[in-house]
Amino acid sequence: VIYETSTSELEIIRDISRTFPSHIFFQQRHGPGQRSLYNVLKAYSVYDRDVGYVQGMGFIAGLLLLYMSEEDAFWLIVALLKGAVHAPMEGLYQAGLPLVQQYLFQFEKLVQEHMPKLGQHFIEEMINPSMYASQWFITVFSYSFPFPMTLRVWDVFLYEGIKVVFQVGLGLLRFCHDDLVSFLVCCAAFATYFKESLKLPFCQVKLPFEELLHSLRYFPDEATDPDTLFPLAFSFKVNSSLEELEKEYRKRLDGPNASSSSSKRLLPLKSKTMSRAVSQVLSISNVGKK
């Protein structure tokens, strides 16, 4: 921190005030919380220049700093990203976000497997997980979710690894399943009406689709109550499915037909589009913890 410079310093400084903006430890400008967050993020960007710093890392560092010293938080981030215990997380933050793309592919397939009606509606309405679930994986639910839920996720995550993010994501969708399906039916009906009857320019109409995406990012309090959510989340057995879906994803990336139009449809968004979408999700400066 003292003797090395980082090309990410300005980005880190810009994002610090956006990290847990409503938490008392990080509220004071240049206060102890913000200074510690800067130190840890800059240290990692120097330690691992291939990864450097990416939006979203601040929420992980911030969460850890609430429970440990700067140095311990730094080394735990190193352990997480380099895979000291579980699968390495660094692919969540490397150029193109390759691991995010893999996880979103797997999650989409799991939704179709465990909630086929909802999954089919998502396909019909062209809703893919990159629109609502990117930050779940990038921050391990430490962004925009209540702390009691986030801490329970991290208890399990540190012990069992990334599968809990899939399980909790499925649990959230299952809890709101009927409402989401009804909303999607409404979206389809509205789109048909808009196409056939309305003469207003598209920009003048607020589609239910926008409300749906908001619902997929900000769930009701009862859905995020850990005592309600976690038994539901753990009812999804995903280990074997995740392994098979990872193999399928690799085949689609590396197989001889990877460049065909049908394969392209099944692959996640391209790197630039994905990076832009994630940046938009994580750069909302006026959204705090609820």
Side-chain angles (χ1 to χ4, degrees):
V1 171
I2 296 174
Y3 298 110
E4 297 283 348
T5 60
S6 168
T7 58
S8 303
E9 285 186 51
L10 291 179
E11 292 179 76
I12 293 170
I13 292 170
R14 179 197 65 197
D15 290 339
I16 279 179
S17 62
R18 303 175 182 181
T19 305
F20 299 134
S22 64
H23 196 290
I24 190 171
F25 186 57
F26 299 104
Q27 279 183 333
Q28 183 182 350
R29 185 172 176 80
H30 306 306
Q34 291 195 7
R35 289 200 303 270
S36 291
L37 188 58
Y38 170 81
N39 288 341
V40 171
L41 294 174
K42 181 190 172 182
Y44 193 85
S45 71
V46 170
Y47 173 85
D48 185 353
R49 295 187 185 273
D50 290 336
V51 172
Y53 166 77
V54 176
Q55 280 181 313
M57 293 174 68
F59 286 90
I60 290 179
L63 182 69
L64 300 180
L65 283 168
L66 296 175
Y67 297 92
M68 60 191 72
S69 68
E70 292 178 14
E71 188 172 353
D72 286 342
F74 166 79
W75 284 115
L76 182 49
I77 291 174
V78 171
L80 291 170
L81 268 64
K82 297 303 179 183
V85 179
H86 303 299
M89 290 178 61
E90 60 186 354
L92 294 173
Y93 310 111
Q94 290 170 333
L97 312 179
L99 199 54
V100 179
Q101 297 191 52
Q102 175 190 314
Y103 288 163
L104 293 179
F105 172 86
Q106 291 171 294
F107 187 76
E108 182 176 39
K109 296 297 184 182
L110 287 172
V111 172
Q112 294 169 10
E113 175 186 343
H114 292 282
M115 288 166 273
K117 183 182 292 187
L118 182 61
Q120 184 59 37
H121 278 297
F122 279 163
I123 292 173
E124 292 170 358
E125 298 302 319
M126 294 183 289
I127 297 172
N128 62 68
S130 68
M131 296 176 176
Y132 61 90
S134 298
Q135 48 95 351
W136 297 355
F137 293 100
I138 291 174
T139 70
V140 191
F141 283 108
S142 60
Y143 177 85
S144 79
F145 283 92
F147 263 94
M149 172 188 158
T150 297
L151 296 179
R152 192 79 66 88
V153 170
W154 272 79
D155 280 344
V156 182
F157 171 68
L158 291 172
Y159 188 68
E160 296 188 350
I162 196 66
K163 76 172 184 178
V164 70
V165 179
F166 290 94
Q167 290 174 306
V168 170
L170 291 171
L172 288 168
L173 295 184
R174 174 72 81 187
F175 186 92
C176 302
H177 179 273
D178 293 344
D179 291 337
L180 289 172
V181 170
S182 298
F183 210 117
L184 283 162
V185 171
C186 173
C187 283
F190 186 89
T192 301
Y193 172 73
F194 174 76
K195 180 179 179 181
E196 297 178 354
S197 304
L198 295 183
K199 305 301 181 183
L200 291 173
F202 182 79
C203 61
Q204 294 183 18
V205 180
K206 184 173 178 63
L207 291 173
F209 181 81
E210 299 173 27
E211 297 294 335
L212 174 65
L213 288 182
H214 185 272
S215 299
L216 288 168
R217 291 172 183 165
Y218 302 101
F219 290 84
D221 291 342
E222 56 269 25
T224 58
D225 176 2
D227 292 330
T228 300
L229 175 61
F230 274 73
L232 185 59
F234 292 148
S235 70
F236 295 98
K237 309 304 180 185
V238 299
N239 279 348
S240 59
S241 295
L242 286 175
E243 293 174 4
E244 292 302 316
L245 288 170
E246 181 177 357
K247 293 176 183 177
E248 180 182 346
Y249 179 80
R250 297 298 173 191
K251 287 180 181 179
R252 293 182 186 280
L253 284 182
D254 305 328
N257 298 322
S259 60
S260 70
S261 58
S262 59
S263 295
K264 286 182 179 179
R265 165 65 186 86
L266 294 169
L267 290 177
L269 299 178
K270 294 296 184 180
S271 299
K272 287 186 178 180
T273 306
M274 175 68 73
S275 298
R276 190 180 305 116
V278 172
S279 177
Q280 290 172 349
V281 168
L282 294 174
S283 64
I284 303 174
S285 59
N286 62 348
V287 175
K289 303 297 289 183
K290 297 197 175 181

